[in-house]
Amino acid sequence: MVCMIQARWLGRALVVLHLCLPSRAVVAAAGGPAATGVQDPGAALMRRQFAESMPDPVLINQRGERLRFFTDLVKGRAVVINFFYADCDRSCPLANGTIRSLRSEFTESFGRSVRFLSITLKAGTDTPEVIARYAKQHAVESAHPDVPDWHFLTGNPDEIRALRWHLGMREKDPAVDGDPAQHAAMLVVGNHATGRWAKLNPLVRPSLVREKAQRIIGWTAAQRYADIRAQVAASAGRRAEPDPAPPVLPPEEPEEAPLPILGRLETPLSGVERGGTPVSTSPLRGKVTVYGRIYTLCPHGSQAVLAAMKRLKDAFGETGEFHLVALSPESTRDTPAFFQSFATLAGAVAEDPWWFVISGKEAVDRFTRSGLGLDPPRPIPAEERLHPDEEEEYDLRLVLVDQQGCIRGRYEVFHPDPFLSQDAAWQIGADTAKLLSQPLPDPNRP
Amino acid sequence: MKTRRSLLKTSAGVAAGSVFHIGSTAHADSPLKVDSQFDGSVQNVPRWENSLPVPVPVRPLSVRQIPAAYGGKPVGAVFHGVAPEYFTAPAGWNMQSTQFHAMAAKAGESFILPRSMGLKTPIWGYAMARPDGTFGDAISPGPHYRFRTGVPVLVRTTNQLPEEISTHLHGGHWPSHSDGHASFLVLPGESRDYFYPNCLPLRKDGTPDITESPSSMWYHDHAADLTASHVARGMAGTTAGFDDLELGLIKRNVLPGIPGQSDENTIYNNPYDLFLALGDRVFHPTGTIWYDTNNNNGYLGNVETVNGAAYPRFTVEARKYRFRFLGASTARHRRIRLSDNSRMLRIGNDAWLFPKGQSMQAFGISPGKRVDVIIDFSRYQPGTQVFLENILEQTNERGPEGSLEQIGDTEVTGNPAFIHRLLRFDVVAANPAVPNASITAQSELRPHETLPASEVEIRRSFRFERKNGHWAINGQFYDERIANAVPRLGSVEEWTLENSSGGWWHPIHIHLESHQQVRNLTTGALPPYQNSFKQDVTMLGPNSSIVIRMRFRSFLGPFMFHCHNNEHEDVEMMFQFEVAESGSRGPKPVNRFFA
């Protein structure tokens, strides 16, 4: 679900957050409001409602591809949208110039996680052939793998008008609204994942447009505010935080689609449970299992992971078909006894279908990497350590494994954006329910 | 009057304990028709089930010394720092009496709709800090502050939301860093020390200008591009200011209050003086606030709220109350009256008290404005129910029906065609231990000084218009690095605010100090009584021009001025002026920037 670049980048983002926030704020960011855990559907709706009712017409791009506007182009992405027509000689050339420069500036930082969509206002005359010629004139195709897509789109004029109105590009005066020559030059910039949308004026200072667009397009707080943080730091005479490498998020799968199979858990892990009992994960075949790595030196991360596991236990623990496994390599600190108290604090009792397994470091690393498909530990440079023993940074995603041992999802329940971490916590619950063919428990009813 | 008396008579025979309604029943309630943004919205909201939320004043965490809640971080040691004026405060600012507060902007939930509907509404609001530095639950309206002129206040504001914020305390006189400038943000996870010196600007002779002491303020989010959606989600709260003059009016029982209690201590506890924040919302069937982020024309709700509760009731004693009405909507204008058309006494406009009250039957209130009103319930028998009504129809974001003059009319003639009830007052007997306030239309309140033409140094003109599908001023858009006007510190300027965006209304808010209306250029008329003193929002009706004068004192810029229809402000009907040691007629790059 999350590619390597992002995982590496996020690791850094967490370090940055650790360094610059009081620890309490990090807990709040990881646990979300009141640590209620599961993303409240109402709160999600408050932020995401704009895209909830977005029209989904079929549009045709310059390559002749038929694409659904929301499903294929917007969902899971950040987008920069404008309206144009091929023989427009007023604001279109200016807007195209702004888009071209944004596209080149975002290539490195956002890659293909952002899309540029130019939709025609004269669908009647801007046929797919005209659109193709127009795109060719603007030389929008690129062989570079990270250049964001720029689609020129045409389609049914009525559907495009409805879409334009939904996007807020509607003039109250019908005479103005119906006249393409008087169309607004605005860019509609949005991010489906965070639900943030705004209209930006392409005719103001380009760096202002870029900075504002970045705040909307950015997937993480650090990315959104890199420029402002640097400014504040500069004005305070402090060193700017390093600008981390960018993440690239692939699009989300459509909701209706079955859960993807991301891999298979071939080799089981053997280790020791809390009380010292030897256990193996092989008898868990036949159950839906969630694995998570516990990293007791990172209290915020572990807290978020354990809280997410606790919610899953509360929701599905009594089905008899569900199991949780918290993993950690053995060390002088992480002993079975220490894990016992850790588990108690997390709200796990011995009868729960929830193991806290300790095994050798090599075995745990191999199991999490080749088995669960998590990222390998990343060494933390000495100067970034918050704790002298904290030598490596771990991928703390929860992994959902189905009855057949297939990996069906990895979930970022510890993420600097509380919205995204809550969303991940909600998503793993929904996906688990799907695998168990159970209705998702109502998060509002304890 | 006749109707009411006959009603009272008919009700006299009714058994004790029953209630009788006051007001015309012919138009009991017109629905709020709004341009449909969302078809499935909640329509039928039970009336008068909610009780009116009465904000409890916040006590400072500490005085003089920074509180434990700051975690040992001195003032200014947070990411966004503190205003430089905190460290260069002149002796007159009485810094040793500084009160320290902390709050967080965070997500929460609230019962806005009556509990019987079973729908909780997610909100973004503000939460008070506990003594240990953690924060309570987010509420909306946010914590209610009471400031004393002459006592500096520092509020450490932490952002626990996933989007950037900026808190503007509207109506006060603050340093640029702390003024809630649209680009002086608090990033997620970070804090800013907002410094409110509560100083008065100085007259030319060096004495404090007591005419400028603010009474009714409010704070709300002001982050560029996000203000409207943040305010719609609940990011607003109220602040009352008190100076010796106003506390004296309470002590002498001119203004409502409990003498000896409401004029003392840091929170001035006063059961007879409260804000009524008027808002409107659209609700999704799940109770979530429905807000279209991409409609930049304005947000109109079909459900009215007062202090964050839909159609509440409020029990009042049969005595005089002071209500500080706040237009907390982003686009809805209202004209407010009592259901029996009784007279009320208006005592202030925006943050400032009038020299003398204005007797009236109705007042207009637009987004961002405050209207300070005395209502005398001693005219009603205990058991009476009287309603607060909006009699101004507004069906689309352009603005309300009628002209600027009609909305400002203080008399109500005939039966209004549109009536929408907002709040029910349930009258009970007055507590005999507290005498009724003595205020009348003759009572002397806050003196006023007119800014004469002879003092004007620079005249400027700002045209509020639509351009390129965007809202613009003089054909230009907000740029955080351009000071669109540079007034000289201490000077007086005269600005013409012109609305040429055919058919649209624009409430224009200017930060830093009050401004005074001089003349309406469209009608040639002098301002009506209620607009002839001080204000911080000047309402522009369709195709109107109003000349204002303003002084720029105490603080160097930059400061914002903008349309207070927050949706218009977000799509850049916003400028800034940078008060500087030497003024300039043309725009200049911004010199001071406090990101």
Side-chain angles (χ1 to χ4, degrees):
Chain A
M1 294 293 269
V2 177
C3 78
M4 296 296 292
I5 304 171
Q6 194 214 0
R8 251 193 282 125
W9 186 86
L10 276 179
R12 265 193 96 78
L14 293 184
V15 169
V16 170
L17 269 173
H18 280 176
L19 291 174
C20 59
L21 293 183
S23 56
R24 197 172 287 118
V26 177
V27 176
T36 46
V38 179
Q39 170 78 38
D40 173 51
L45 183 65
M46 176 172 78
R47 287 185 71 187
R48 279 185 170 169
Q49 54 186 256
F50 175 68
E52 292 287 305
S53 53
M54 191 176 277
D56 199 17
V58 174
L59 302 173
I60 303 171
N61 73 1
Q62 68 269 25
R63 298 192 285 268
E65 294 161 339
R66 299 169 71 81
L67 299 160
R68 299 206 77 97
F69 176 74
F70 175 69
T71 314
D72 299 331
L73 294 170
V74 174
K75 199 166 179 203
R77 299 277 179 157
V79 286
V80 178
I81 305 165
N82 78 324
F83 288 87
F84 81 108
Y85 53 97
D87 53 354
C88 163
D89 54 5
R90 294 161 66 105
S91 58
C92 300
L94 279 166
N96 283 341
T98 304
I99 292 176
R100 194 173 299 113
S101 83
L102 285 178
R103 192 179 178 221
S104 95
E105 291 190 53
F106 289 163
T107 296
E108 203 186 310
S109 47
F110 297 101
R112 296 165 79 93
S113 70
V114 58
R115 281 199 173 114
F116 293 86
L117 310 175
S118 296
I119 306 170
T120 182
L121 289 159
K122 287 187 179 173
T125 52
D126 286 349
T127 59
E129 296 72 35
V130 172
I131 293 282
R133 263 204 310 281
Y134 188 80
K136 202 166 177 188
Q137 280 166 14
H138 286 83
V140 297
E141 305 295 347
S142 167
H144 190 298
D146 291 336
V147 170
D149 279 333
W150 188 357
H151 296 271
F152 289 87
L153 298 156
T154 185
N156 176 309
D158 293 337
E159 290 182 344
I160 288 182
R161 189 180 54 235
L163 174 62
R164 176 167 62 83
W165 286 3
H166 184 86
L167 292 172
M169 304 287 275
R170 178 183 189 176
E171 289 294 315
K172 278 272 175 191
D173 182 346
V176 178
D177 190 64
D179 179 8
Q182 296 192 53
H183 78 274
M186 291 309 124
L187 303 178
V188 177
V189 183
N191 184 327
H192 175 241
T194 60
R196 183 163 168 183
W197 292 78
K199 276 186 251 173
L200 299 183
N201 188 345
L203 310 181
V204 301
R205 196 158 47 84
S207 59
L208 190 61
V209 185
R210 180 184 54 78
E211 199 274 315
K212 285 183 163 192
Q214 200 164 296
R215 279 191 233 168
I216 300 164
I217 292 170
W219 295 91
T220 64
Q223 203 176 29
R224 280 177 224 136
Y225 304 117
D227 285 13
I228 307 175
R229 296 195 83 89
Q231 258 178 40
V232 176
S235 65
R238 277 174 274 151
R239 189 176 61 88
E241 308 285 357
D243 195 357
V248 177
L249 281 194
E252 269 174 23
E253 297 299 325
E255 270 155 30
E256 313 72 39
L259 295 179
I261 293 177
L262 304 173
R264 184 176 281 276
L265 204 51
E266 303 286 359
T267 328
L269 177 75
S270 305
V272 181
E273 237 274 62
R274 277 161 288 178
T277 337
V279 288
S280 161
T281 59
S282 56
L284 298 178
R285 189 62 70 86
K287 290 185 177 187
V288 174
T289 313
V290 168
Y291 292 88
R293 185 167 186 150
I294 302 295
Y295 175 31
T296 59
L297 271 178
C298 170
H300 321 307
S302 293
Q303 204 164 322
V305 169
L306 290 174
M309 290 180 115
K310 167 80 163 48
R311 283 188 299 271
L312 292 169
K313 185 204 87 178
D314 292 345
F316 308 109
E318 283 169 22
T319 58
E321 295 164 18
F322 179 72
H323 206 93
L324 289 154
V325 181
L327 298 171
S328 188
E330 176 148 41
S331 68
T332 46
R333 176 188 159 89
D334 292 351
T335 59
F338 183 73
F339 242 44
Q340 172 74 59
S341 60
F342 210 71
T344 312
L345 277 176
V349 293
E351 303 78 50
D352 284 333
W354 187 355
W355 290 346
F356 287 73
V357 179
I358 286 185
S359 188
K361 179 166 170 29
E362 242 185 68
V364 170
D365 281 350
R366 192 171 52 241
F367 182 77
T368 51
R369 188 177 178 177
S370 6
L372 299 174
L374 293 174
D375 295 326
R378 187 187 75 93
I380 304 175
E383 67 276 12
E384 284 181 15
R385 284 177 203 164
L386 297 172
H387 188 289
D389 296 338
E390 192 182 28
E391 290 167 1
E392 289 182 327
E393 188 169 78
Y394 299 101
D395 186 341
L396 295 178
R397 284 176 294 169
L398 289 182
V399 182
L400 177 64
V401 177
D402 70 11
Q403 294 90 337
Q404 284 74 42
C406 295
I407 292 162
R408 308 304 291 268
R410 304 185 186 98
Y411 305 85
E412 196 99 33
V413 294
F414 177 49
H415 190 286
D417 183 340
F419 185 76
L420 296 181
S421 58
Q422 288 168 53
D423 225 18
W426 178 83
Q427 193 64 47
I428 190 171
D431 292 352
T432 306
K434 203 181 260 182
L435 290 182
L436 291 167
S437 308
Q438 283 216 336
L440 181 67
D442 185 346
N444 292 325
R445 290 205 186 85
Chain B
M1 263 337 237
K2 209 172 187 181
T3 325
R4 186 172 64 85
R5 232 174 248 151
S6 56
L7 255 176
L8 287 174
K9 264 183 200 159
T10 357
S11 312
V14 178
S18 69
V19 293
F20 35 96
H21 297 257
I22 292 279
S24 141
T25 47
H27 308 268
D29 221 13
S30 321
L32 288 184
K33 288 186 214 131
V34 296
D35 277 5
S36 174
Q37 294 176 3
F38 170 58
D39 292 336
S41 64
V42 167
Q43 295 291 338
N44 298 312
V45 178
R47 304 299 205 261
W48 332 127
E49 281 188 19
N50 276 324
S51 51
L52 178 76
V54 176
V56 179
V58 187
R59 286 181 188 280
L61 289 165
S62 67
V63 176
R64 184 192 292 258
Q65 285 183 331
I66 65 163
Y70 283 15
K73 274 195 180 175
V75 172
V78 291
F79 187 70
H80 295 282
V82 68
E85 287 85 349
Y86 182 83
F87 300 108
T88 58
W93 285 8
N94 201 14
M95 294 294 284
Q96 68 284 357
S97 65
T98 303
Q99 299 177 349
F100 294 91
H101 291 270
M103 70 171 181
K106 60 186 267 193
E109 51 187 14
S110 170
F111 277 108
I112 298 177
L113 295 166
R115 278 166 199 263
S116 65
M117 297 180 77
L119 299 174
K120 259 191 186 175
T121 301
I123 54 157
W124 280 8
Y126 300 94
M128 274 184 281
R130 303 191 187 99
D132 67 353
T134 59
F135 296 100
D137 289 337
I139 53 172
S140 172
H144 171 59
Y145 292 91
R146 294 199 171 160
F147 286 180
R148 169 74 183 260
T149 297
V151 177
V153 168
L154 194 116
V155 183
R156 177 164 291 178
T157 300
T158 300
N159 181 2
Q160 295 191 343
L161 293 169
E163 293 177 354
E164 66 272 21
I165 62 163
S166 168
T167 311
H168 171 50
L169 178 43
H170 177 149
H173 187 59
W174 320 123
S176 172
H177 174 284
S178 302
D179 189 51
H181 186 286
S183 302
F184 299 173
L185 305 167
V186 190
L187 296 184
E190 302 296 358
S191 306
R192 177 180 284 262
D193 283 341
Y194 283 91
F195 173 48
Y196 304 115
N198 285 315
C199 62
L200 290 173
L202 301 180
R203 290 197 184 88
K204 277 184 183 161
D205 62 8
T207 58
D209 183 357
I210 59 152
T211 72
E212 193 64 30
S213 191
S215 297
S216 303
M217 300 174 273
W218 70 301
Y219 61 92
H220 60 83
D221 192 61
H222 207 310
D225 301 339
L226 293 165
T227 300
S229 62
H230 286 178
V231 172
R233 287 169 185 176
M235 297 183 68
T238 54
T239 301
F242 297 91
D243 69 341
D244 291 345
L245 185 149
E246 192 163 334
L247 293 173
L249 290 169
I250 297 168
K251 198 182 209 71
R252 298 200 308 277
N253 204 28
V254 176
L255 285 174
I258 305 176
Q261 187 188 113
S262 305
D263 53 314
E264 283 176 3
N265 297 318
T266 49
I267 59 162
Y268 311 110
N269 177 43
N270 190 338
Y272 309 125
D273 173 1
L274 62 153
F275 275 88
L276 296 178
L278 308 179
D280 56 336
R281 297 271 194 299
V282 178
F283 291 92
H284 186 269
T286 57
T288 296
I289 293 163
W290 188 260
Y291 181 83
D292 179 354
T293 48
N294 286 34
N295 176 357
N296 301 115
N297 291 330
Y299 177 63
L300 284 183
N302 58 352
V303 174
E304 286 273 8
T305 64
V306 185
N307 290 353
Y311 304 104
R313 58 170 198 278
F314 183 52
T315 302
V316 290
E317 294 180 22
R319 63 163 63 248
K320 289 188 185 115
Y321 275 74
R322 175 180 182 184
F323 294 112
R324 305 160 189 248
F325 287 91
L326 162 63
S329 293
T330 63
R332 182 175 290 283
H333 302 248
R334 297 176 182 82
R335 191 163 170 240
I336 302 294
R337 69 155 190 177
L338 290 170
S339 48
D340 64 347
N341 237 354
S342 283
R343 301 200 80 77
M344 304 177 271
L345 186 69
R346 179 166 181 178
I347 58 168
N349 188 13
D350 293 337
W352 301 275
L353 290 174
F354 290 151
K356 278 182 180 175
Q358 173 193 33
S359 168
M360 44 98 201
Q361 287 178 309
F363 61 87
I365 183 164
S366 69
K369 283 201 80 74
R370 279 85 66 227
V371 176
D372 218 331
V373 173
I374 302 285
I375 298 181
D376 187 357
F377 295 99
S378 69
R379 62 164 79 93
Y380 305 114
Q381 285 183 14
T384 307
Q385 293 180 341
V386 61
F387 297 87
L388 195 71
E389 297 179 339
N390 172 23
I391 53 171
L392 183 61
E393 178 141 46
Q394 180 174 3
T395 55
N396 73 52
E397 310 95 326
R398 280 176 195 272
E401 306 295 319
S403 67
L404 203 51
E405 290 71 29
Q406 287 163 338
I407 289 169
D409 190 354
T410 56
E411 302 303 307
V412 181
T413 39
N415 266 340
F418 172 88
I419 295 175
H420 193 79
R421 292 183 163 170
L422 310 179
L423 171 65
R424 189 182 81 192
F425 293 113
D426 297 340
V427 183
V428 299
N431 173 5
V434 183
N436 199 4
S438 67
I439 185 166
T440 66
Q442 276 69 49
S443 307
E444 305 262 344
L445 302 172
R446 187 171 297 287
H448 175 70
E449 288 165 12
T450 305
L451 292 174
S454 58
E455 284 192 38
V456 171
E457 264 183 33
I458 295 183
R459 289 186 167 78
R460 305 177 198 266
S461 189
F462 299 102
R463 197 176 56 257
F464 296 81
E465 61 193 348
R466 188 157 178 88
K467 186 188 168 195
N468 267 321
H470 236 43
W471 297 105
I473 304 176
N474 290 351
Q476 293 172 310
F477 307 99
Y478 171 62
D479 184 329
E480 61 186 26
R481 295 292 176 169
I482 295 174
N484 307 86
V486 184
R488 184 181 65 79
L489 184 67
S491 69
V492 176
E493 295 201 355
E494 186 175 284
W495 292 5
T496 302
L497 308 176
E498 180 189 348
N499 175 8
S500 63
S501 52
W504 291 83
W505 292 65
H506 299 297
I508 306 304
H509 173 41
I510 310 175
H511 291 209
L512 180 65
E513 270 205 45
S514 68
H515 59 259
Q516 302 181 8
Q517 292 189 8
V518 179
R519 186 177 292 277
N520 182 329
L521 287 186
T522 318
T523 62
L526 294 173
Y529 183 86
Q530 68 270 22
N531 291 341
S532 49
F533 307 105
K534 298 176 197 300
Q535 56 247 290
D536 54 44
V537 178
T538 279
M539 192 59 222
L540 297 180
N543 303 313
S544 62
S545 291
I546 290 180
V547 179
I548 61 116
R549 284 184 202 139
M550 180 173 170
R551 232 189 309 241
F552 304 85
R553 292 179 289 185
S554 309
F555 303 110
L556 296 173
F559 298 95
M560 317 304 303
F561 67 107
H562 56 90
C563 176
H564 217 295
N565 176 322
N566 298 136
E567 283 80 8
H568 296 184
E569 161 189 350
D570 276 344
V571 286
E572 295 166 305
M573 191 177 258
M574 177 159 69
F575 263 13
Q576 56 183 328
F577 60 93
E578 180 159 17
V579 181
E581 297 292 353
S582 56
S584 152
R585 283 181 187 277
K588 277 188 163 181
V590 165
N591 188 30
R592 288 162 27 113
F593 198 83
F594 303 104

